[in-house]
Amino acid sequence: MKKFTLDRIEGARAVLECENGECVSLDITSLPQNIKEGDVLVFEEGSYFLDKLETERRKEKIKNMMSALFE
């Protein structure tokens, strides 16, 4: 199982960043619908799945870091 973060969408292509820092560009139709930048995707059994729990965990971590910076 590999985890990726959706870095950006460029037209019909999505750029995903792997945990090791490498980026891959895929056709957006090969990914779950309604994904957005920052979402965490898991690749297993030949398909990509949205990892909602990990996405929320990372967003909360970033929110806490930003709060600590500006307090």
Side-chain angles (χ1 to χ4, degrees):
M1 172 177 71
K2 283 188 169 183
K3 287 190 179 182
F4 297 85
T5 302
L6 177 57
D7 183 60
R8 63 188 179 277
I9 298 173
E10 298 176 335
R13 306 289 295 173
V15 178
L16 304 179
E17 183 176 346
C18 186
E19 293 176 301
N20 65 10
E22 293 180 24
C23 290
V24 294
S25 177
L26 302 170
D27 191 300
I28 194 82
T29 60
S30 63
L31 301 174
Q33 292 182 354
N34 300 318
I35 57 171
K36 55 192 175 303
E37 292 175 1
D39 282 348
V40 177
L41 300 164
V42 175
F43 182 76
E44 56 187 1
E45 299 181 16
S47 296
Y48 290 90
F49 302 94
L50 178 60
D51 186 336
K52 291 180 184 178
L53 187 62
E54 182 65 14
T55 298
E56 289 303 315
R57 188 190 70 75
R58 289 183 185 187
K59 285 181 181 180
E60 188 65 27
K61 182 178 177 181
I62 291 168
K63 179 181 165 187
N64 290 339
M65 290 170 64
M66 294 296 287
S67 291
L69 283 173
F70 295 109
E71 288 183 354

